[in-house]
Structure formats: structure tokens, C-alpha cells
Amino acid sequence: MGVEGIGAKVLRKEDRRFITGRGRYVDDMSVPGMKYAAFVRSPHAHAKITGIDTSSAEGMPGVIGILNGQQLQGDGIGNLICGWAVSSKDGTPMKMGAWPALAVGTVRHVGQAVAIVVAETQLQARDAAEAVMVDYEELPVVTTAVDALKEGAPQLHPEAPGNLIFDWELGDKAATDAAFSKAAHVTKIHIHNNRLVPNPMEPRAALGHYDPAEDHYTCWTTSQNPHVARLVMSAFYNVAPEHKLRVIAPDVGGGFGSKIYIYPEEIVCLWASKRTGVPVKWTSDRSEAFLTDAHGRDHETDVELALDADNKILGLRVGTIANLGAYMSLFSSSVPTYLYATLLSGQYDIPAIHANVKTVYTNTVPVDAYRGAGRPEATYVVERTMETAARELGISPAEFRRKNFIRSFPHQTPVIMAYDAGDFDATLNAGMEAADVAGFEARREEAKSRGKLRGLGMSCYIEACGIAPSKAVGSLGAGVGLWESAEVRVNPVGTIEILTGSHSHGQGHETTFAQLVAERFGLPVDNVQIVHGDTDKVQFGMGTYGSRSGAVGMSAIVKALDKVEAKAKKIAAHVLEADEGDIVIENGEVKVAGTDKKLGWHEVCLGAYTAHNLPDGMEPGLKEGAFYDPTNFTFPAGCYICEVEVDPETGTTEIIQFVAADDFGRVINPMIVEGQVHGGLAQGIGQALLEGTHYDDAGQLLTASYMDYAMPRAWDLPNFKVSTNETLCPGNPLGMKGCGEAGAIGSPPAVINAITDAIGNNDLTMPATPEKVWKALNAVA
Amino acid sequence: MYETSYHRPTSLEEAANLATEKGDEAKYLSGGMTLIPTMKQRLAAPEALIDLRHVGELKGITVNGRSIRIGGGVTHAEVAMSDEIKSVCPGFASLAGLIGDPAVRHMGTVGGSVANFDPAADYPAALLALGGTIHTNKREIAADDFFLGLFETALEEGEIVTAVSFEAPDQCAYEKFRNPASRYAMCGVFVARRADGVKVGVTGAGSSGAFRWSDGEQALSSDFAPEAVDGLTVSEADMMGDIHGSSAYRANLVKVVTKRAVKKALSH
Amino acid sequence: MTDVTITVNGREMKGSVEDRTLLVQFLRGNLGLTGTHVGCDTSQCGACVVHVDGKAVKSCTMLAVQASGSSVTTIEGLASGADLHPVQAAFREHHGLQCGYCTPGMIMTAVDMIQRHGSSLDEETVREELDGNICRCTGYHNIVKAILSAAGASQPQSIAAE
């Protein structure tokens, strides 16, 4: 590697603007004539709208316009959709209820948008929104998926009788039943995977600007995938034709999945801009974010694991009920199915698996992908079950896992996935060594002498990312392909712009992507500019989620760089009168191998643009594009070991040590990769210890601000011990697997396994708040 | 936030006159650490705000022997960093250093906190345990008579907390168990020991705001040691219960946190 | 509307605001200083931290009229010219930021913390004093490291080994 090439710790190019307060987020944007929007939102979880009276609000200072769902539908704006079709096991298609961007007729969760007010100032818009009088006739409410499936439960959508969206299965039921009939031991456990609120620190925002002179729309929005937003808003929601709509996602302050989706607010701001004749900006406050950003997780699962007399796994049976909230968000159907059940084999050789998943409507905020999306839920199921089985059998959890590890690759699981590479012993060994598992019992004794309960828990996770092979996901119901595109524009002076369809909202693409150029041509990263987040600049792209920007996004860049390199070599060979095969590019020079004949990189680039001396028939210029479609998912895996100390008097858990030994394949920038792991761990530990939602019986979200939703603070977290092992992924040119979600996927079961080990009671749900731990302790005392 | 009008008096008299003039719809604004967030949520809508931060009479910390007087306008940060207070009553200074976060401590004031009497506010526990006095522009009120119930104090319309005062005890300490979300006290206990006995002030746990735990006081008065409260039970019926902690859990915390406060006091 | 005069980053700025205008709204809306962010509405996240008369405060919990006559430093005023403030430089050096949204408030809080504690800062104090600043990206590991480094304080053993 060069000093800035692959594997180098290069400080981030993007940092300067952020640390000096010059980042540009959507709410920082201003266009001439811009006005402000506030939404009128439902205070009820389930109600019929019997009237909307805007008369007094219309007369309030600064009010420009108030628009509702009838007008939206009248203008032909389409309903929001779920873009991944999943069918029930009997073949019936999923039952999608109508979701207009502004409610028409019925509201189904607290916070659903009913009308928009546009006014001169933000404060005036809010004042007027409060003065819009909406008459509601309240309807019965259901907030949990289990209750929603019960006979006589309140019904949300006429399209979905019994609130059931689909009843889906994966795997071989007969083979699984047969495996259980031979079992020497069966471990059973019920799993609750708590509903989370993603909470990127930048709240969502949208600025819609319709320009009547050009009949053109521009939308600045907090999006992880602006091209997808443009496609969906034009093709499905009929907001604007695709060629007349520019979507810009500038600096975006974190996403974690919640900014993948196209929400009612950006649709309505664009539409309202045309209707009112002014650019319209809306900025969510945190309270609105809690009530409208797609939530994550919310599964109830029963698991059974069948083992033979030698403690080898025979089969796994999983039944899950997933709460999708009041409406089907954009990718909501894929999360508890193809991103979940396909990972239920974990790191283990399991001959038979059967999973049944029911997805359900409730009067809660829609649920969709949140960091990890399905894979944390799968990992939690598998790793809590493995730990429980080991404890029941009285054997070492590490040895039990080791006994069942998959060791030969490729490995076809019974649940679609074909693991291409991995070395699970290596990460387990690395984790156990870093965590000094051998010394744990002595530390437990020492803690006991101080009146504290120490526990150790591990989690051996595997996940699938690099989402995703288009043909494969297409056959599973996805409405889009999941390739990525890139364009490499070499300027006449030799500097380079890379236009990518990936979107950076904290991941450091401006640095990591530039390192590919440093590696390839020996140019400094400062000579490379990464362009992303603007549909007018970047050809197309599928965006950033599912830890795909490395394995998929960078692979597209590599393919484009291949073409640039080939052309540059042709030009140099022609000028230097050498054989193309003898040309090498390094340290910013284009040389004939084994001679002193060479050109500067900039000379080749300038030559491409002056076109004075190009090979016959060659087009001038040096600019290449590529699309990359992966051939398989990638499979990051690792071993996480958590050591906790529980205060038995208060139930407080302190994380003494957290070890993460990951295998992400090739690491481009170790500093950035470690940072991704730290952040993922914080969110996973947050899920395990702190974060959770509570709805009351009326469907009011009680945990709707940081006063009640416990966000991890610095005080809650330890310093992390992270390391990586590189088993290269054979499926992409860089051998990368992806690192963005692993921390959030692998950590929750490690934490809960540690606490339950400490307290000697396995019956504990997330978040393991001090009170819950205290109660669980008292239950065994 | 609804519309409001802002006023900046520079004397107590001017402030009180403004309050009389504006009537019910006026509110004093001290550090604003509770009032402004409440107004932002549109849960409070005073038509007039009377800013007390520029009233000179509310400033200043005076320590005379073991007598401590802290002006109503003194910030939590000033209390926490006061060498004078630390030298005679370190437990009180350390309590101030546990309120909110550094930015909140730079703005929030003793007077504002006392007057607002949030059920999870920290000072009330200390003032109850210290047998403190709340001084207003009209009178002096003993802490026991001042804190009446949830957000309810003996303050009358327009009355301003000008200072709090107390005698430093022989030993004291504050222990705080935080709500994991808000970081306010889920249970905060201030213990103060004097020759004539021990007082225990508890905040965050009680269903009607901060209170004195008399059973604990009796037990600790005869034996100032953590184990002294072991045999006691705290009535769940008097405890607050919410999504963060049931009344049973809070009842347990009162005991546990008291023990830790005692331990801390003994180590000072 | 009330006229306010606030010295912002060394320059006297005048404006006319509704009394209910928050300091952060004045900085962002009237002055275009958009480096100060808003991440919550309950005064907890700290994305809006600025210095008022030399002390860290939450500009979302102070009215612009309250700040009239005061001196305010925002993230934009921290660096002198092209030279980064040592805390800014440390955040970059130690990868103490990802999406950058909480970063201005984090840095302003860190500068204030270091002013008060100097090189006697330790990990426990840093974590405690970050109680009013929420970061969703970094897990705080590198933020703690950056602050200790900028303070000239020693790193905890587990971090120093890196």
C-alpha cells in the first residue's frame, strides 16, 4: 500500500468543513422566496377524519396556503408504496393498505400528517398549524402485533383482514419436523426484539422548489439515496416526471436506514411548492422525528433448537410475528423476511431450518430497516438460543459454538444464502484472546468480593451485506435492482472526479473512495474529488444502506478505474512507442516497465484532451463509467465478547469490556472501519441496555423525546477493543465485505448473554434497564 | 413557542413591579433551563417573561463561619466551583455539579430550581435535609414549609426566591441515581448529620415531590452507618411509578441510594 | 419585535427579532451561521452548544433577547484564519466525527471542558461532562480520545495501547 492507498489510515478529507461549522445540511439551505411548512398531525392513533376547518388558520399572520389530502389526491399524487413484494406461503400477495401522503378519511398512527401549512416564517406556520381544526371520530386502537392478530382486534385496513399483511415461510418444514423428532435435546426460548427509534442526530428536512419557468422541480432532502427518491417520486407518486425532477441530498447528518425511505413530507413539500408558488422548506423537530421516522425491529419470536446426543445441531424452528406499524414503509416487507430468515443459520452447520413470519398492521409508526435490518433480529435469535442451549447442557458456550461452526466454503444454508468465505474459528479465537476469557473466572471472583456480579457473554454473528445481486433480489420480489454505478472523470490536468451513486452521511466516502485512486495511480487523495448526492450530477445510483457502499459502490468505481487505466495505458504506449502491456502506472507516473521511458500522469491526461497524439480511432477525453452488479451477498462475520458488572442493589449494568473481532474482508481505511464498528456497537448496546419504545393503550408513544427514550451517552459506553481479520470476499474485485452494520448486529446478544450470565436468570428482555435486571435478580433470589 | 414579551429589570423592585403590572400571565425567567423547554413544547405560554439574570441583588455567595447563603441568581456551576462552599459543605457543592450537564449548569440557577420544584430537582433534597431557609423578596420560609407538592411551593404570585441559606452540617453527601433517559434523578438522596440528629432528603422518587424520609432519619440518627437502614421498608404507595421505574423499584432505590449517600458522607 | 445587539465571533451584530426567537434561530436564520445545529427540542442533545460570555450554553434554550449585550462564540469563530483550533484538529486527527452533525456542539463543549479542567482531565470526567451532548455515530470512543488529546491529558490504558 502507498501512504494513502488501500489499508492506510488516511485522515478524512471531509472533516474540515464539519469541524469548522461549514457543513451544508438541508436545513442550512435557503433559496430566494423560500417559505416554511408545518404539518398538521393526528393526535389520535386511530380515527376517522370527519372534517377539517382551516378558516381561522387561514387568516393568521403570514399564512400562504393550507393544503389537505383531498387536494393532494385530486392532483393525482399517488399513495406511498412498499417496493418489495412478499407473498404468503399460500401464494397470496401481501396485503398493502393505502397510504396517502396526507391522510384521507382515516388516520392510523399518532403523528400521521393530515395537512400542510405554508407560511412566511417557521413560527407562523406552526402557530397556524395549531389553529387548523380537525374533527376526529376516534376508533379502537391496537399497538402490539400479537394483539393485532387476535380475534376481534381493531381492524386497520380493509385490504388486510385480521391485520395480517402476509404469512410467509422459508425453509423445509418437513425436514425440520423430522430433525426435531430425532432430537436428544430441544432448547426453547421466547425472544422479544424491542422496537427502536433510529435517531440520526440531524432530523429529516425537505425543501421543495417548483420553477414554473422551466416546469422543473428541485428537492433538497435528507436522503441516503437521492436517485431512488427521484425514481419513486416520479414513477410511483406522480409528483414530477423524472427528467423534470432534481433531487439533492447534500451533507446528511446520519441515516442508519431511516433516511432510505421517501416520506410524505418531501412529496408534500414539492407538491405544495407548485400549489402555492413558493419554495417550501420543512424541518422536522425531534418530537416529529419520533412520531414519523420509520422505526426499527419489533419482533416477537418463538425459537426451538434440536440437538443430537453429541450436541450437534439437527434443526432450527422459528416463528416470528413482526409489527410493521400502521403502513407498509418502502422496504418494510423485506426486513423480517429476506433480510432476517435467510440469516438464521448463523455461523453454524444446521441441516434443517424452518421459519414462519407473520407481518402485522398496528396503530404505531411504520417500521422499516434500521441499522442491520433483519440481521440483528436473526443474530439475536440464533445467539441467544445458542447461549441458552449451552447453559442447559452445561457445556462451554464457546466450545458448543465451535462444535457447530461451518468450516468448508462455499456453504449452502437451508435458507437461501450461500456463504462464500469465512473463518469463524479465527474470529472466535481472536475475540477470546482479546477478552482474556481464560482469566474471567478470577475476575468474577474479584467482583464478587466487591459485591458485584460479573458476567461474560458472546455472540458469533454472520450477516449478509453488499446488497445485492439484482437478479436474485428480483426473483425474491424486489422492485429495484441493487447494483451501483460510478463515473471517473479525469481532468486535463490529471485531477480526478469520481461521481458515485453511493451517498455518504458519515461513512467517510470522500476519503475512502479517493484512496482507491491513490492506490491505483499513486495520486494524492487531495487530487480526487468525490461527487455524490445530486441527481443532476451523478448519472444514477442506488444509494447507501445495507453496508453496500464498499462492496458494491467501490466495486463500480474499480470497474470504471479499470477502463480509465486501460485507456491511459493505450495513450502512453502510443506516445512512448511501447507495447501497451509494458506500461505501468505508479506514483503519478506512467512508465514503460524496465526502461526509463515515462510520462507524468498529468501529461497523459492532457494528451487525452488535446488529442494531438492519440492512437488512430481513439476518442479524445478520459472519462469512464461503470455499473457493477454483485454476484452474491457478502458475509461479514465475527465474534463479540461482552463483560459486564451488575450492581445487585440497583440492577445497573456496567460494561466493563467489549471486544469485537470482525472479519470484513479487505479494509481500505482502518480508522474509518473502526469508527463504523464503534458506532454500530453503541447502537447495539443501546438496544440491549437503554433504548425501547412504550405505547400506551391509546396508541400514544410515551417514549417520544430524549426525556423518555434513553439515547446512549458517553457515560453509558466503554472504550471498545476492536480488531479485524481479513478473509477476502471472492465475489468482488476488492475482496470487501462491509462494516457499517456489524456492530449493531452482533452486539445485543453478547450484552444480554453477559447480563444473564451475571445474574443467573436467563429470562430477561431488552432493553435490560436497571429495574428489569433488578426484578430478574429478585426472581431468582 | 407562542408569542411572548421579554423584560429585563435590573433590580428586585423593578422585577416585582413588572410582575404586578403584567399579572398572572407573567413569569420570571431565571436560567430558563426548565421554562424555555416547556415553552418550546408549547406547554407553557407566559405572555411576559421577566428576566432575573440582570438583577444584582440575586447574585453572590456568602459564607460566614458555617453559615452559607447563596443568591437566587447564582448558577449551579458557580455553586459547584465555589471554594468557600466546598470548604465548609462539600456535599452541597458536589450536588450542584451533578445537576444537568455543564451547559445547563452555566445557565440554571438555585432560585429558579427551587421555585420550580420539579419532582426530580436536586436542590430540594438538600435543602430539606439541611433544614435550609428559602428567602424571598417578601419573607423567609423554612424548607419544610416551602416544598408543598408536585411543582407546588409556598411561593405566592409575583414572589421571587432571592436566596437560600443553611448551616453547614457536620457531615453530608448527595447521591444521585439517574433516570437513564432524562438523566434527572430517579432517586437522589441528601443526608446531613449534625449533633442533634440526621436528616434525609429524597428527590425524584416520591409521588408528591421531594420529601424527608423520617424512618431513615430515625435509624441514622441512632447509628450513622449504611447498614442502619437495612431493616427499613419504604412504602411503595408514596413512590412515583412510571415507564422508567415502578414504585416498588423506586422504594428500593430510596434505601440503596440513602446507604450510598451515608457511605459517601462518612468518607468525606 | 425587539432590537438585539450581540457580539458574535468578535463582530457586533444587530438584528430585530420576535421576543420568542431562540438564540440558535437568530444565529442560523438572521446571521446565516448554520454551523450551530438543532438536534432535539428538549435541550438534551447539545448540537446547539455555543459560548456565551465565555461559557458553554445551549443556544436552543436561550432567547436571542436574553443574549443581547453578550458576546457569543460559535463553531465558525473558533479557528483563527486557516489554523484550526487544537480541539478541532484533535477531532480530525482521532476521527472524532462521522456525519458531522453533533460535531460543532461537541467541539464547543470540549473547548469549555478543557478551559475548566486543563490537562487534569481524565476519561471519567470527559464522559461525565459529555452528558449533554449526544452523538449517534461514533460511540464516543474517538470523541473521548480527541478531547483528552487536545487537553494534553493522558489517555486511559485501553486507548493508549491503540
Side-chain angles (χ1 to χ4, degrees), chain C residues 88-148:
Chain C
Q88 291 172 317
F91 268 66
R92 176 159 192 259
E93 176 69 30
H94 296 285
H95 190 30
L97 63 148
Q98 290 182 25
C99 81
Y101 197 78
C102 77
T103 309
M106 277 291 173
I107 290 177
M108 297 310 284
T109 295
V111 170
D112 176 84
M113 197 188 301
I114 294 169
Q115 269 169 16
R116 285 181 288 108
H117 295 277
S119 61
S120 69
L121 261 182
D122 57 19
E123 184 194 353
E124 186 176 331
T125 309
V126 172
R127 287 187 182 272
E128 221 168 61
E129 292 225 348
L130 287 178
D131 211 38
N133 291 78
I134 301 177
C135 170
R136 192 58 152 167
C137 294
T138 64
Y140 305 97
H141 180 113
N142 287 338
I143 290 175
V144 173
K145 202 162 143 184
I147 295 173
L148 289 172

Side-chain angles (χ1 to χ4, degrees), chain B residues 55-94:
Chain B
V55 174
E57 295 120 292
L58 298 176
K59 309 274 186 204
I61 295 169
T62 320
V63 178
N64 227 326
R66 297 191 66 78
S67 300
I68 298 174
R69 183 190 162 100
I70 303 166
V74 172
T75 64
H76 312 322
E78 288 166 338
V79 174
M81 291 190 297
S82 161
D83 289 333
E84 287 179 290
I85 297 178
K86 277 195 253 182
S87 69
V88 292
C89 193
F92 194 83
S94 93

Side-chain angles (χ1 to χ4, degrees), chain A residues 347 424 427-428 459-462 636-640 661-663:
Chain A
Q347 297 189 353
F424 306 143
T427 43
L428 177 61
S459 158
C460 294
Y461 78 91
I462 187 163
C639 172
Y640 289 178
D662 291 293
D663 185 345

Side-chain angles (χ1 to χ4, degrees), chain C residues 10-83:
Chain C
R11 285 180 62 195
E12 191 179 275
M13 309 301 276
K14 290 179 185 297
S16 185
V17 297
E18 280 189 79
D19 287 6
R20 60 173 164 169
T21 306
L22 298 167
L23 176 58
V24 66
Q25 291 166 336
F26 177 74
L27 294 170
R28 290 178 56 83
N30 294 53
L31 304 184
L33 293 171
T34 55
T36 302
H37 296 150
V38 178
C40 77
D41 43 18
T42 49
S43 309
Q44 288 169 296
C45 81
C48 66
V49 169
V50 300
H51 294 182
V52 175
D53 298 325
K55 290 183 177 132
V57 304
K58 292 183 169 171
S59 63
C60 77
T61 315
M62 186 176 197
L63 301 173
V65 286
Q66 275 179 288
S68 193
S70 288
S71 182
V72 173
T73 306
T74 70
I75 187 72
E76 290 94 340
L78 203 55
S80 52
D83 294 335

Side-chain angles (χ1 to χ4, degrees), chain B residues 84-132:
Chain B
E84 287 179 290
I85 297 178
K86 277 195 253 182
S87 69
V88 292
C89 193
F92 194 83
S94 93
L95 171 146
L98 294 172
I99 299 173
D101 56 62
V104 166
R105 296 196 283 274
H106 283 145
M107 286 294 288
T109 65
V110 173
S113 172
V114 166
N116 185 56
F117 192 33
D118 185 287
D122 300 282
Y123 288 124
L127 292 171
L128 287 170
L130 291 164

Side-chain angles (χ1 to χ4, degrees), chain A residues 453-471:
Chain A
L453 304 172
R454 272 224 183 193
L456 186 89
M458 63 170 55
S459 158
C460 294
Y461 78 91
I462 187 163
E463 58 138 333
C465 45
I467 292 172
S470 299
K471 199 187 259 183

